[in-house]
Amino acid sequence: MGHPFPIREIARQAGLSEATVDRVLNGRGGVRESTAREVHRAIADLDRQRTQVRLVGRTFMVDIVAQAPERFTTAVRAALEAELPALHPAVVRSRFHFRETGPVRELVGTLDRIARRGSQGVILKAPDVPEVTAAVGRLATAGVPVVTLVTDLPASGRVGYVGIDNRAAGATAAYLMGQWLGDRPGNVLTSLSSGFFRNEEEREMGFRSVMRARHPQRTLVEIAEGQGLDATQYDLVRAALERDPEIRAVYSIGGGNNATLRAFADLGRDCAVFIAHDLDHDNTRLLREHRLSAVLHHDLRHDLREACHEVMRFHGALPPAGPVLPSAIQVVTPYNMPTTPAG
């Protein structure tokens, strides 16, 4: 009978000698019928346990490439390293390529170096621009699967996306904003780190759509390109507040929340509702201090575990599965914060 298992593995499973297994598989005499059945049963057992058999002793080198503020990449590193022991019996080793900002050509250069050097997979958070899409295609041609994290590149050759449904997250933020502002007057500041990250664009669209439908009288004021960094975010927010004295609330899509709050404080302005994303170390502190109203959070450990599983499936180490479902959107307030550090 055909099978993918070495004689040594079948013998170990059946508790028989390799010579006996060899005789059964090759139809030689001198073997009892019950022994032959044990050999075939062992092969059937191994086939059912194919996933574990394939994983034993396998090492996957995965490159994590991300353009994001340090507070986010720190959370990504911690989440992945927390998940690595749970991926046994496979061994996943990781290389990190993080940057806060910079020219697209440098990011593309990193991806092309990985394609030349080789990797079992790339987990990628990057802007949705043609140069990055082309680089993902070159990785695919080189046999390196790419899984997008948090923000997608749907027109690229990536094998999957892990993260939340960003449009639904934006709609959730609009629902909360409308409930908490109620009938109080005031405009809402929406803040993106960059217009080139698809996740932020989708969050903004979800937010704007629900606000337009449910609260058409509420003016939305958009700022962008602060890169989620405090130094650039402060100037953008302060300028917006000076231009519009009616801004009373914030939906922070891209981060830089310390700077945003500082701009409000420096101008003596009150922020009635402040909704942000991701329970990183900055937002955890701000939420605990009641300076944020809520944080829309998702489990990065779950996302990175799923990303590693996608890489393993690509290499045949896990059985095929359906599309990865979006991560759950968690609404975290000062009163339901996790008791353990967010991952």
Side-chain angles (χ1 to χ4, degrees):
M1 60 183 296
H3 60 84
F5 309 109
I7 288 176
R8 178 180 65 255
E9 195 68 38
I10 299 169
R12 185 181 302 123
Q13 182 75 20
L16 301 169
S17 70
E18 292 182 27
T20 299
V21 172
D22 182 74
R23 284 198 296 274
V24 172
L25 295 179
N26 289 286
R28 301 191 183 98
V31 179
R32 291 193 300 270
E33 186 178 339
S34 59
T35 302
R37 284 199 300 269
E38 289 175 13
V39 170
H40 296 310
R41 188 180 304 117
I43 293 171
D45 290 342
L46 289 171
D47 194 62
R48 283 195 302 273
Q49 300 165 27
R50 181 182 298 267
T51 294
Q52 288 74 22
V53 171
R54 285 176 174 171
L55 286 175
V56 169
R58 293 198 64 170
T59 299
F60 297 86
M61 177 60 75
V62 176
D63 290 89
I64 296 84
V65 182
Q67 179 173 312
E70 180 273 336
R71 62 181 177 273
F72 181 79
T73 54
T74 296
V76 167
R77 184 192 295 269
L80 178 62
E81 291 178 347
E83 277 302 306
L84 293 183
L87 297 172
H88 287 324
V91 176
V92 176
R93 297 175 56 201
S94 53
R95 294 182 291 227
F96 296 96
H97 313 268
F98 293 155
R99 52 184 241 148
E100 291 198 311
T101 187
V104 170
R105 67 176 180 275
E106 293 180 3
L107 179 60
V108 169
T110 298
L111 296 174
D112 285 342
R113 284 193 296 275
I114 293 170
R116 290 193 297 270
R117 183 187 60 209
S119 175
Q120 270 70 57
V122 171
I123 300 172
L124 177 63
K125 180 187 183 295
D128 186 6
V129 296
E131 299 91 330
V132 173
T133 295
V136 171
R138 291 191 289 273
L139 282 160
T141 300
V144 179
V146 175
V147 181
T148 51
L149 173 69
V150 176
T151 184
D152 201 7
L153 302 169
S156 72
R158 54 88 168 135
V159 299
Y161 161 75
V162 294
I164 59 174
D165 179 331
N166 286 292
R167 193 180 289 263
T172 301
Y175 174 79
L176 295 173
M177 184 68 71
Q179 292 291 309
W180 288 338
L181 277 180
D183 295 329
R184 287 179 290 176
N187 299 337
V188 179
L189 182 70
T190 62
S191 170
L192 292 81
S193 73
S194 171
F196 294 106
F197 285 99
R198 179 170 287 268
N199 66 325
E200 296 190 19
E201 180 185 47
E202 291 176 343
R203 291 173 187 177
E204 194 276 337
M205 288 190 293
F207 184 81
R208 187 174 295 275
S209 175
V210 172
M211 291 296 290
R212 185 184 300 118
R214 297 175 63 92
H215 310 284
Q217 78 287 355
R218 191 80 66 182
T219 299
L220 305 183
V221 180
E222 181 181 313
I223 60 173
E225 304 309 320
Q227 306 303 321
L229 305 176
D230 286 348
T232 47
Q233 182 74 2
Y234 177 85
D235 292 337
L236 289 169
V237 175
R238 181 165 182 141
L241 293 176
E242 289 173 341
R243 288 192 303 269
D244 188 341
E246 300 304 315
I247 294 174
R248 295 283 184 272
V250 174
Y251 174 37
S252 175
I253 300 170
N257 301 324
N258 279 314
T260 298
L261 287 165
R262 192 169 77 251
F264 270 87
D266 288 352
L267 292 174
R269 299 273 288 273
D270 176 57
C271 184
V273 180
F274 196 135
I275 299 171
H277 278 271
D278 301 323
L279 207 58
D280 55 38
H281 53 77
D282 281 358
N283 286 344
T284 297
R285 176 178 55 80
L286 293 173
L287 196 59
R288 188 171 288 123
E289 295 170 355
H290 290 243
R291 299 174 71 195
L292 299 180
S293 307
V295 170
L296 301 181
H297 181 63
H298 62 285
D299 186 352
L300 268 179
R301 287 185 58 170
H302 170 272
D303 291 346
L304 288 158
R305 179 169 66 250
E306 290 297 328
C308 290
H309 286 168
E310 285 287 283
V311 170
M312 293 177 184
R313 290 187 189 102
F314 177 87
H315 293 288
L318 289 176
V324 177
L325 297 176
S327 302
I329 301 168
Q330 305 170 26
V331 179
V332 184
T333 73
Y335 300 101
N336 70 332
M337 294 179 66
T339 55
T340 56

